[in-house]
Amino acid sequence: MGQHTTVAELIERLGACNPDAVVRLAVCPDFPFAHYLGDLAEGQDEDGLDAVFLADGGQQSYLPCPLAIALDWMPDPTPLPVARRRGRRSSQ
C-alpha cells in the first residue's frame, strides 16, 4: 500500500480477507510488534488531505516471524537449496 491509500482501497484489500479475522497493526520493522486497533478519527492530515486515523490500541505482542517475513521486514531464514558440485574422480 502506498502513502496515500484511500478508504476505498483499504476496504477492497480487506474484502479479500477472512471477515471473521481480528485486525492488528504491525509496527516498527526493526523490532516488529503487533498492536491492537484503537479508536478511529476523521480529519485532515498536515497536507490538508481528508484523512482517517486509526489509533494504536496497545501492544499485543511481538509480530510473528512469518508475518515479518511476509512484510519484507526480515529475511526468510529458510536456507536456499545448494547445488551440489560434481567432483572429479581422480585417476589412480
Side-chain angles (χ1 to χ4, degrees), residues 21-68:
V22 297
V23 178
R24 300 284 184 263
L25 296 174
V27 299
C28 193
D30 293 331
F31 203 62
F33 287 104
H35 286 245
Y36 300 108
L37 286 181
D39 290 332
L40 179 143
E42 292 185 73
Q44 291 186 330
D45 69 6
E46 62 185 24
D47 295 325
L49 299 172
D50 288 336
V52 174
F53 292 86
L54 301 173
D56 180 348
Q59 183 178 324
Q60 178 196 22
S61 64
Y62 294 103
L63 187 68
C65 285
L67 297 172

Side-chain angles (χ1 to χ4, degrees), residues 68-81:
I69 292 166
L71 292 168
D72 288 328
W73 288 1
M74 66 182 289
D76 188 344
T78 306
L80 297 174

